[in-house]
Amino acid sequence: MDQGPYKTIRDVSGKVSRVIRIGTRKSQLARIQTDSIAAKLKELYPEVTLEIIGMTTTGDKILDTALSKVSPLLIVDLVVHSLKDLPTSLPPGFTIGAILKRENPHDAVVLHPQNAGQTLATLPQNSVIGTSSLRRAAQLKKRFPHLDFKDIRGNLNTRLKKLDDKEDYSAIILAAAGLKRMGWDARISQILEPEDCMYAVGQGALAVEVRARDTEILEMVSVLHHKDTVLRCIAERAFLRTLEGGCSVPVAVHSELKDSQLYLTGAVYSLDGSDSLKETMQATLSAGAERVEERVDEQVQRVGVTAAKIWGPDQDSAERLGSGLAELLISRGAREILAVARQLNDAR
């Protein structure tokens, strides 16, 4: 069952080959992201037959969550996700088999057309900013106290329509990566730097989720791993896992890999941003040496990621960095801040 029922085809010569089935939601962004992975796989493995299976369920929610949570319903070999949507611990039998090179991980300001040329700092008092993210709202409330922040829901297309068609919002905050993948770079009015708003764990990176024991698929997708992105995201995910955080609490990060030094800044916030803890730590990695593990081993997972072709000790260092930073913040009261934030959010 771990392997899933294979689909095969027979060519004109009688040769039987496996069809690789890729599951996707039918939203425009999900399809663009899935198509980009399929194109990369087809370029690397031109002999492979790929089949993209669009999934529609009530609310189109089935692939908003990990493959592992809906596995009885899915007859696919892999699913493409935004890494930030995947939990830091996947159930047994599933793993993240590839993390691709990160797009810009920062958040972007998209202004209502009538506010063209403005920034968050220059918008008038009490301008309404739309965001569905507790992390963004907590940071930006503190940074821009003259603004009002309100929820806005829906996919990218829906949120932009809500912004443009009415005057309920002066601007909305979205992930720059999604806007860029949709080809909507021109709508980005301002990129929020870390001093204004740090990003979510894994933001901007695409992940390929597979069955952990499907070694054929694991080997195939493992070449898509981008080393620097993998190491940064392992550190970020270890930070979140140790904090026991999630999307229901305001947790933010910023990471950088430079000259064999991995830097991680992590922060936790109260819902209104008035209470926060923020620290930076670093770890030394191997000096660019390209060492490779001998084979894919589904038992070796770090925060849900299998990356057998990336030097294991570097992955361990990244994981320890994230955990260590979280433990430092916990020692200073991070869990208490997040517990209050969670309670207040649940009560809303």
Side-chain angles (χ1 to χ4, degrees), residues 228-260:
D228 286 12
T229 303
V230 170
L231 295 171
R232 289 171 61 191
C233 289
I234 284 176
E236 293 173 16
R237 287 169 63 81
F239 174 72
L240 184 63
R241 180 194 61 192
T242 305
L243 282 175
E244 299 174 357
C247 61
S248 62
V249 291
V251 174
V253 294
H254 173 71
S255 63
E256 188 175 10
L257 183 52
K258 186 169 58 177
D259 300 327
S260 300

Side-chain angles (χ1 to χ4, degrees), residues 114-151:
Q114 70 183 13
N115 295 318
Q118 301 266 29
T119 65
L120 290 185
T122 62
L123 282 171
Q125 185 81 18
N126 300 324
S127 293
V128 175
I129 311 300
T131 176
S132 59
S133 163
L134 300 177
R135 170 189 58 80
R136 292 169 182 149
Q139 294 179 83
L140 295 173
K141 282 175 184 176
K142 186 174 184 180
R143 187 79 172 86
F144 304 101
H146 69 292
L147 301 175
D148 290 337
F149 293 86
K150 293 187 178 177
D151 274 354

Side-chain angles (χ1 to χ4, degrees), residues 84 86-90 200-202 232-247 249 251-253 264 267-268 299-305 315-327 330 335 338 342:
K84 67 183 178 64
L86 283 175
T88 55
S89 297
L90 299 184
V201 166
R232 289 171 61 191
C233 289
I234 284 176
E236 293 173 16
R237 287 169 63 81
F239 174 72
L240 184 63
R241 180 194 61 192
T242 305
L243 282 175
E244 299 174 357
C247 61
V249 291
V251 174
V253 294
L264 179 64
V268 300
Q299 303 304 317
V300 181
Q301 281 193 38
R302 296 166 180 88
V303 285
V305 180
Q315 295 185 64
D316 293 337
S317 295
E319 187 173 16
R320 284 195 299 270
L321 173 63
S323 299
L325 180 60
E327 287 162 3
I330 288 167
R335 284 223 172 104
L338 293 180
R342 190 177 282 111

Side-chain angles (χ1 to χ4, degrees), residues 25 36 41 74 88 97 115 117 119 162 218 237 256 267 284 293 298 327 334 340 343:
R25 284 181 295 119
S36 73
L41 289 173
L74 289 180
T88 55
N115 295 318
T119 65
K162 286 180 179 179
L218 257 177
R237 287 169 63 81
E256 188 175 10
T284 301
E293 304 290 306
E298 75 277 2
E327 287 162 3
V340 172
Q343 288 167 1

Side-chain angles (χ1 to χ4, degrees), residues 15-248:
K15 181 182 177 183
V16 175
S17 60
R18 181 174 174 183
V19 176
I20 307 303
R21 300 152 305 175
I22 307 175
T24 180
R25 284 181 295 119
K26 290 188 175 179
S27 76
Q28 188 179 356
L29 179 58
R31 186 61 195 244
I32 286 171
Q33 293 179 163
T34 299
D35 286 349
S36 73
I37 301 298
K40 290 178 188 296
L41 289 173
K42 193 65 180 175
E43 185 178 345
L44 290 163
Y45 307 103
E47 75 285 356
V48 166
T49 300
L50 302 175
E51 182 180 342
I52 296 177
I53 300 173
M55 301 290 181
T56 303
T57 64
T58 303
D60 200 22
K61 295 289 188 183
I62 193 169
L63 291 178
D64 283 338
T65 53
L67 166 64
S68 49
K69 291 186 179 179
V70 290
S71 56
L73 304 178
L74 289 180
I75 310 299
V76 296
D77 299 301
L78 57 98
V79 178
V80 179
H81 297 279
S82 295
L83 179 60
K84 67 183 178 64
D85 295 334
L86 283 175
T88 55
S89 297
L90 299 184
F94 298 89
T95 190
I96 296 167
I99 299 176
L100 285 82
K101 185 176 182 180
R102 197 173 211 167
E103 178 56 89
N104 185 328
H106 298 285
D107 290 315
V109 179
V110 180
L111 291 167
H112 189 285
Q114 70 183 13
N115 295 318
Q118 301 266 29
T119 65
L120 290 185
T122 62
L123 282 171
Q125 185 81 18
N126 300 324
S127 293
V128 175
I129 311 300
T131 176
S132 59
S133 163
L134 300 177
R135 170 189 58 80
R136 292 169 182 149
Q139 294 179 83
L140 295 173
K141 282 175 184 176
K142 186 174 184 180
R143 187 79 172 86
F144 304 101
H146 69 292
L147 301 175
D148 290 337
F149 293 86
K150 293 187 178 177
D151 274 354
I152 185 168
R153 299 286 169 177
N155 60 32
L156 282 183
N157 309 60
T158 302
R159 293 186 203 190
L160 283 173
K161 186 172 175 59
K162 286 180 179 179
L163 173 68
D164 292 342
D165 288 358
K166 299 180 181 179
E167 296 186 3
D168 295 348
Y169 302 97
S170 298
I172 58 176
I173 313 296
L174 299 168
L179 289 164
K180 286 175 174 288
R181 291 186 184 118
M182 293 285 276
W184 295 341
D185 305 58
R187 290 306 308 265
I188 296 176
S189 309
Q190 178 184 359
I191 295 288
L192 294 172
E193 296 301 324
E195 55 268 23
D196 291 330
C197 189
M198 295 200 302
Y199 42 82
V201 166
Q203 185 162 315
L206 294 182
V208 181
E209 186 187 14
V210 302
R211 296 179 183 85
R213 295 184 183 277
D214 192 340
T215 53
E216 181 183 350
I217 298 295
L218 257 177
E219 287 280 3
M220 176 179 287
V221 303
S222 67
V223 299
L224 300 176
H225 271 309
H226 181 256
K227 177 184 171 184
D228 286 12
T229 303
V230 170
L231 295 171
R232 289 171 61 191
C233 289
I234 284 176
E236 293 173 16
R237 287 169 63 81
F239 174 72
L240 184 63
R241 180 194 61 192
T242 305
L243 282 175
E244 299 174 357
C247 61
S248 62

